[in-house]
Amino acid sequence: MHAISFQDVSYEVTQKKILSQITGHFTKGRITTLVGPSGAGKTTLLKLCNGLLTPTTGQIHILNRAYEEYSPPDLRTTVGIALQAAPMIRGTVYDNLALPLTLKKQTLPPQKAAHYLEAVGLSKDICQQDARDLSGGQRQRVSIARTLINEPAILLLDEITSALDQAAADSIEKLIMQLNQQHDVTVIWITHNLEQALRVSDEVWVMIDGKLIQQGTPAILQQPTHQQVQQFTEGALR
Amino acid sequence: MSYFTLSLTLFFILIPLVLSKTLRLDLERDVLVATVRAIVQLLLVGYILTFVFEGNHPLYMLIMIIIMITTAVLNARKKGQHIKGITWKLAVTITTVEVVTQGILLGFKIVPATAQYVIPISGMMIGNAMVLSILFLNRFAAEVDAHQDEIELILSLGGTPKQAIHHQLIQAIKAGVSPTIESQKTIGLVQLPGMMSGQIIGGADPMQAVQFQILIIFALLTNAAISSIMLGFLSYPALFTKQMQLLKEQ
Ligand SMILES: Nc1ncnc2c1ncn2[C@@H]1O[C@H](COP(=O)(O)OP(=O)(O)OP(=O)(O)O)[C@@H](O)[C@H]1O
Ligand SMILES: [Mg+2]
């Protein structure tokens, strides 16, 4: 079953084509990584999945339902996203973690906040810290935890370990793989780190210049058969 | 005061002109245009007011007020061109301000329903609502622009546009209301309000001038609250698409 499928999806802004005719799918219950050079349109594709952008043309299906059948808040809680810049609202770390629930007029019990912080490798002592004072790596981790609070069926991750050292990145990778295996969460993961892609992926999408160049198992990165993919992996691994 | 005496005040125009020329501020044209406009507009208003006051007919007053509201709307909407439907949103806001103020003043018979009172007070209220609307629109645009990330974050977590923009909206509303509150704190100490000064120069009893001024500043407070809040709540939905996405400015 497809978690998300695309049929001829394009996205343009003022005459500029950012995504061209994407056709493909993300398999349910799997981890798919999205790789490709900077500016390839990876973030744009994730924002389409979460309804932050709407395709100019083409069809998207989410869990076998047409995209248009979802109300935006429904779509966005079913398909959660951890944004590339890991933005924080003003307030404390707790305010940020509780945000998904506050928006639904619910409260986040402090034990639950502590639990989520622990899961991403942070101490619960930072709950009352101003979120604007967090380090880059701490922000990324709070951002992941915040996205998980909505318990999305599909999880979109945009370069979530780019500011982390290897040990912290490893623990996040473990956490995501665990969520995937134990809770059947489908994961779409943008990474510029090809080794990370090889470690975590069931499937890989290679995007270049707004196009989906190749979709397959991690083998398409290890033994590239496609010329453009080969050029990209040589550049990226060098 | 004779027209000759009045024309001597043109010396006040010469000073900025000379300064602009020597310091190359390049403001001569603006100063001249502003001067000519001020003379023509005020003289015109003077004649019209004389006519309206003598006629003292409700229809003349209504027409005057409609002209004032229209001018205010056309002026303020330049600052809100990115907001769809800004013209009618401003018209509703400014009209509400006028209706509420006059409703209280005339309804409770605080001032008599004659052109002599209704027109100048309307002018002050509508002018003030216009300035506050512009202030609000500028600040709102700046707030939204500076915090697109946060707005998008809240949307991405399933929040509604209203939830997403709440903080920016409140900041801009506060920015609209607080100058009015601030200026009330120092009123009379730093400067005598224009209307009061005018009345005193015109020979009115200072205590009576003060009473009127108190009436005006209270009315301005209502004015500030209504105009920022109403315009805010009318305009924020235009910043989002039907699919609850933040519209990016081109
Ligand atoms: N609103 C927009 N208006 C114009 N161009 C845009 C807009 N949004 C994105 N782009 C352009 O679209 C292209 C794809 O951007 P996108 O952020 O999706 O790339 P990416 O693959 O995520 O890159 P990175 O790896 O650097 O994050 C870029 O060239 C970007 O400049
Ligand atoms: Mg990106």
Side-chain angles (χ1 to χ4, degrees):
Chain A
M1 174 160 157
H2 299 166
I4 305 183
S5 69
F6 303 86
Q7 184 68 46
D8 269 332
V9 170
S10 297
Y11 179 75
E12 304 175 15
V13 282
T14 53
Q15 314 297 324
K16 190 174 163 231
K17 215 160 196 167
I18 294 177
L19 293 176
S20 324
Q21 288 173 326
I22 305 282
T23 299
H25 65 267
F26 298 129
T27 310
K28 188 167 179 301
R30 298 282 166 81
I31 298 181
T32 305
T33 51
L34 219 54
V35 299
S38 184
K42 306 181 296 293
T43 297
T44 308
L45 188 80
L46 284 205
K47 286 186 174 177
L48 287 178
C49 296
N50 170 262
L52 281 177
L53 299 172
T54 307
T56 316
T57 56
Q59 262 89 51
I60 301 180
H61 282 79
I62 310 270
L63 298 170
N64 286 349
R65 270 172 72 195
Y67 192 67
E68 296 75 18
E69 284 176 29
Y70 289 85
S71 74
D74 261 0
L75 177 61
R76 291 165 189 170
T77 43
T78 309
V79 185
I81 188 168
L83 295 162
Q84 189 163 15
M88 294 289 134
I89 57 161
R90 73 209 73 203
T92 60
V93 169
Y94 174 83
D95 294 335
N96 271 277
L97 276 180
L99 180 60
L101 295 180
T102 319
L103 294 173
K104 292 189 271 191
K105 315 235 171 348
Q106 297 167 4
T107 45
L108 176 70
Q111 320 83 274
K112 210 170 162 196
H115 168 79
Y116 274 92
L117 284 177
E118 230 166 80
V120 293
L122 292 171
S123 146
K124 67 175 190 291
D125 301 339
I126 67 163
C127 255
Q128 292 314 314
Q129 197 174 319
D130 189 329
R132 307 272 167 133
D133 298 337
L134 294 176
S135 74
Q138 286 173 327
R139 274 165 76 117
Q140 282 190 330
R141 288 189 273 187
V142 172
S143 162
I144 299 165
R146 185 176 56 193
T147 305
L148 296 179
I149 300 246
N150 268 335
E151 299 181 346
I154 302 172
L155 187 57
L156 312 175
L157 307 172
D158 199 347
E159 308 245 12
I160 50 161
T161 60
S162 60
L164 301 183
D165 57 36
Q166 192 58 50
D170 283 347
S171 76
I172 295 294
E173 283 175 21
K174 262 210 210 90
L175 168 73
I176 301 294
M177 289 163 86
Q178 203 183 342
L179 279 170
N180 169 253
Q181 279 151 19
Q182 292 172 6
H183 299 275
D184 201 33
V185 177
T186 305
V187 180
I188 325 295
W189 192 337
I190 296 179
T191 176
H192 65 271
N193 179 337
L194 290 190
E195 269 127 34
Q196 181 174 60
L198 293 178
R199 275 196 301 276
V200 302
S201 313
D202 298 311
E203 290 170 25
V204 179
W205 275 36
V206 184
M207 291 181 65
I208 298 174
D209 260 348
K211 295 188 192 69
L212 170 59
I213 299 293
Q214 211 180 4
Q215 164 175 22
T217 62
I220 64 170
L221 296 179
Q222 284 166 310
Q223 292 97 30
T225 48
H226 194 291
Q227 197 208 338
Q228 271 176 292
V229 176
Q230 188 174 6
Q231 275 172 358
F232 165 68
T233 55
E234 275 170 8
L237 288 172
R238 193 168 46 221
Chain B
M1 190 163 29
S2 69
Y3 279 106
F4 173 72
T5 327
L6 184 61
S7 67
L8 291 179
T9 57
L10 284 175
F11 277 114
F12 287 126
I13 310 299
L14 270 182
I15 296 170
L17 276 182
V18 170
L19 283 179
S20 167
K21 192 93 191 152
T22 24
L23 296 176
R24 306 214 182 139
L25 301 180
D26 205 19
L27 292 173
E28 295 96 289
R29 221 185 99 85
D30 271 355
V31 171
L32 283 177
V33 170
T35 307
V36 173
R37 278 188 63 162
I39 294 174
V40 174
Q41 283 164 205
L42 286 177
L43 285 180
L44 207 65
V45 166
Y47 283 117
I48 295 174
L49 284 183
T50 316
F51 178 72
V52 173
F53 286 5
E54 278 166 6
N56 203 14
H57 193 288
L59 186 66
Y60 295 161
M61 287 196 245
L62 194 64
I63 293 175
M64 271 298 283
I65 290 170
I66 291 174
I67 294 175
M68 287 194 256
I69 292 178
T70 312
T71 318
V73 169
L74 293 182
N75 201 9
R77 76 170 177 178
K78 290 178 219 150
K79 294 290 169 200
Q81 269 160 354
H82 57 289
I83 296 171
K84 209 167 144 236
I86 189 64
T87 310
W88 74 261
K89 287 167 184 173
L90 279 165
V92 169
T93 303
I94 297 180
T95 307
T96 307
V97 166
E98 167 70 2
V99 169
V100 171
T101 346
Q102 297 298 351
I104 292 174
L105 291 179
L106 301 179
F108 292 122
K109 299 202 171 24
I110 300 172
V111 302
T114 58
Q116 192 197 339
Y117 290 93
V118 173
I119 298 297
I121 294 176
S122 296
M124 269 183 275
M125 293 304 138
I126 294 169
N128 193 63
M130 174 186 82
V131 171
L132 292 184
S133 299
I134 292 174
L135 206 63
F136 170 82
L137 289 171
N138 278 339
R139 181 60 183 267
F140 194 35
E143 284 284 333
V144 170
D145 199 47
H147 299 286
Q148 288 187 17
D149 271 17
E150 283 163 59
I151 297 172
E152 194 168 57
L153 167 71
I154 295 175
L155 292 173
S156 81
L157 293 169
T160 61
K162 188 171 168 189
Q163 290 174 320
I165 209 159
H166 182 258
H167 186 81
Q168 286 67 34
L169 188 59
I170 296 301
Q171 287 306 110
I173 288 175
K174 274 193 191 157
V177 180
S178 61
T180 308
I181 299 174
E182 287 309 310
S183 73
Q184 287 192 10
K185 290 185 189 158
T186 56
I187 198 162
L189 301 177
V190 178
Q191 58 160 348
L192 293 184
M195 167 170 138
M196 205 170 107
S197 315
Q199 274 188 299
I200 294 174
I201 292 170
D205 165 31
M207 272 327 277
Q208 204 197 344
V210 164
Q211 283 183 350
F212 261 105
Q213 193 57 48
I214 290 176
L215 178 161
I216 294 297
I217 59 171
F218 287 175
L220 287 179
L221 204 57
T222 295
N223 185 324
I226 298 179
S227 48
S228 309
I229 293 172
M230 223 176 139
L231 189 57
F233 281 90
L234 285 176
S235 57
Y236 86 81
L239 300 181
F240 295 89
T241 65
K242 268 210 291 297
Q243 292 88 18
M244 302 193 184
Q245 297 150 350
L246 182 65
L247 280 168
K248 300 267 152 73
E249 272 183 73
Q250 257 81 57

